[in-house]
Amino acid sequence: MRLSILQYLICPVCKSNLSVKGKTIQNEIKSGSLICKNRHKFYIEKGIPKMIVDKSSGFSVTEKAFSKKWSKYYTDFQSKKWYDFTEKWFLERFGWKNVSEFNKFLSSKKFILDAGTGIGNSAKRFSANPKSQVFAIDASDSIFFAQKKYGSIPNVHFIQADILQLPFKKNFFDFICSDQVLHHTKSTRLAFKKLVNHLKKKGVLSVYVYRKKGPLREFADDFIREKTTRMSEKDCLRFSEDMSMLGRELSKLKKTISIKRDIPILNIKAGKYDVQRFFYWNFIKCFWDQENDFKRSVGVNFDWYFPKFAWRHTPDEVKKWHKQFGLNIIHFQEIESGISTNGMKK
């Protein structure tokens, strides 16, 4: 932890200022603690301030799921191939034509929050403007893998924190991005509201949340997750392997089917579909990576089946949140998997 960021942090419980105790080496503290005037104490471990307050079982199980996933697969997801793929997908979903256009957007942003950084790839992406300060948070232990990979970037600061209880003042950030994260909190709507509170006027909030799918896929998701969220990590990993192998076998068919006209009751549109993707989007989550990466496929399926919280939403819901909490939608995109938005605070 760089001591320079202490001026920006507050106690997530009582919102008072913090003081630091620990051994400082070249303006950095690797271990110690942060303490507020009301004696709320947060430890610093391996240079990471650990500022989680929520100890409830649902929260713990969800973060345990991601900690397990990243500890097992972090090298695969930090590879250049995956970084490049996710960067391209990020730009497409949030309406940026290319990296240069996005970096131009970042050039005017002084304080940036990466709300759910995972293993830090997004934090690196947001650090393009060296004059900015990027605060990358995650509630899971992925934050330690992020620090190990990207902790040397001068304007990036990794913190273990909860979106629902952030250690920052309100109206602070120029840009907040929470990509594929809010639907894994206790309440997507509440988490969205909390992020808006920390956004400056004219600041931009970018989020991606799961889209509610057709009735057969939704039924299968609820039916299966009711069981998998109660499994041990080992058993859920095994089940995720089974789902990956199912996706792989369907993919091997290399067949397409044609739906001649819309089937509104099932929320299926007319068109030509790859068999594996047709089953995946409409009937059961059996992800298979197009690059034939088995471990990554298992990680994606585990990411869905083990966390306690995995909410899905409709476009109308997401639009309503923007209106309720004072954001003008400047970009809105709905795809099969989810909904991406950029909203500017009024």
Side-chain angles (χ1 to χ4, degrees):
M1 170 187 161
R2 299 182 184 95
L3 289 178
S4 58
I5 73 166
L6 187 60
Q7 61 185 305
Y8 305 120
L9 298 179
I10 61 173
C11 174
V13 179
C14 65
K15 310 305 178 185
S16 61
N17 292 331
L18 295 160
S19 59
V20 63
K21 290 187 178 180
K23 187 177 180 181
T24 303
I25 302 175
Q26 295 181 338
N27 199 39
E28 290 203 14
I29 182 167
K30 295 297 183 183
S31 63
S33 58
L34 296 171
I35 306 171
C36 74
K37 65 180 182 180
N38 294 314
R39 297 184 179 180
H40 296 124
K41 191 173 185 179
F42 308 95
Y43 291 101
I44 301 168
E45 180 182 333
K46 298 179 182 178
I48 300 288
K50 302 182 69 174
M51 308 187 77
I52 298 293
V53 178
D54 192 344
K55 304 298 182 183
S56 64
S57 60
F59 179 87
S60 298
V61 168
T62 297
E63 298 318 317
K64 185 179 180 182
F66 291 109
S67 296
K68 180 68 175 180
K69 171 189 171 180
W70 294 127
S71 66
K72 194 172 182 66
Y73 302 114
Y74 74 95
T75 54
D76 299 275
F77 285 89
Q78 284 181 337
S79 69
K80 185 179 186 304
K81 180 187 287 188
W82 184 253
Y83 181 93
D84 292 343
F85 168 78
T86 54
E87 181 172 72
K88 182 176 182 291
W89 196 49
F90 171 85
L91 296 172
E92 289 173 353
R93 285 180 294 120
F94 289 103
W96 306 107
K97 294 178 182 178
N98 49 50
V99 173
S100 295
E101 186 179 69
F102 180 61
N103 287 348
K104 184 177 180 182
F105 164 80
L106 292 176
S107 67
S108 63
K109 306 298 179 277
K110 184 177 180 181
F111 296 112
I112 297 169
L113 176 63
D114 182 9
T117 192
I119 49 174
N121 292 337
S122 48
K124 180 181 185 299
R125 187 171 301 125
F126 300 153
S127 69
N129 172 16
K131 295 181 180 179
S132 69
Q133 297 295 321
V134 179
F135 296 87
I137 70 153
D138 206 283
S140 79
D141 288 343
S142 66
I143 202 76
F144 293 101
F145 301 113
Q147 169 81 347
K148 184 177 180 180
K149 177 76 171 180
Y150 301 116
S152 62
I153 300 175
N155 63 328
V156 175
H157 315 284
F158 292 106
I159 302 166
Q160 192 169 46
D162 177 8
I163 287 174
L164 296 181
Q165 292 177 292
L166 287 169
F168 304 104
K169 295 178 181 178
K170 292 183 178 180
N171 308 307
F172 177 63
F173 293 102
D174 303 290
F175 174 50
I176 298 175
C177 184
S178 190
D179 187 9
Q180 309 171 67
V181 177
L182 298 188
H183 43 239
H184 289 305
T185 64
K186 289 181 178 180
S187 166
T188 312
R189 178 182 177 275
L190 178 59
F192 185 94
K193 179 183 178 182
K194 292 284 187 179
L195 291 182
V196 174
N197 289 341
H198 290 279
L199 193 65
K200 287 181 181 177
K201 184 178 180 180
K202 301 294 183 182
V204 173
L205 171 63
S206 297
V207 302
Y208 170 95
V209 296
Y210 289 144
R211 181 181 70 87
K212 194 170 185 179
K213 299 171 183 65
L216 296 181
R217 169 67 194 269
E218 287 293 316
F219 173 81
D221 283 336
D222 288 340
F223 178 82
I224 297 171
R225 278 181 38 78
E226 195 275 332
K227 294 173 174 56
T228 58
T229 55
R230 299 180 183 185
M231 287 180 175
S232 66
E233 295 171 14
K234 181 180 178 180
D235 287 343
C236 194
L237 272 171
R238 184 177 177 82
F239 177 77
S240 299
E241 290 173 353
D242 292 339
M243 290 298 98
S244 300
M245 287 187 282
L246 174 59
R248 180 177 63 191
E249 293 308 303
L250 288 170
S251 182
K252 284 180 180 179
L253 295 174
K254 298 187 183 301
K255 298 289 185 180
T256 59
I257 59 173
S258 295
I259 305 299
K260 300 302 182 183
R261 59 187 183 190
D262 293 351
I263 309 176
I265 290 178
L266 301 183
N267 198 29
I268 295 174
K269 300 289 186 182
K272 184 173 286 188
Y273 297 89
D274 171 82
V275 167
Q276 190 272 332
R277 304 310 283 174
F278 183 74
F279 271 85
Y280 175 68
W281 291 123
N282 296 292
F283 297 99
I284 190 170
K285 173 88 172 186
C286 53
F287 177 81
W288 179 248
D289 182 77
Q290 293 180 346
E291 299 292 329
N292 295 317
D293 190 316
F294 181 71
K295 289 197 296 183
R296 191 176 295 152
S297 299
V298 174
V300 170
N301 285 314
F302 182 79
D303 183 25
W304 175 251
Y305 285 115
F306 194 59
K308 176 69 174 177
F309 306 117
W311 310 111
R312 289 87 73 190
H313 302 281
T314 66
D316 286 343
E317 275 185 283
V318 178
K319 290 176 181 177
K320 186 177 180 180
W321 300 338
H322 284 75
K323 185 176 181 180
Q324 285 180 325
F325 304 129
L327 295 180
N328 286 323
I329 295 175
I330 56 179
H331 172 77
F332 191 95
Q333 184 186 85
E334 180 185 357
I335 58 177
E336 289 172 309
S337 59
I339 299 163
S340 305
T341 69
N342 297 331
M344 181 177 288
K345 193 171 183 179
K346 298 176 183 177

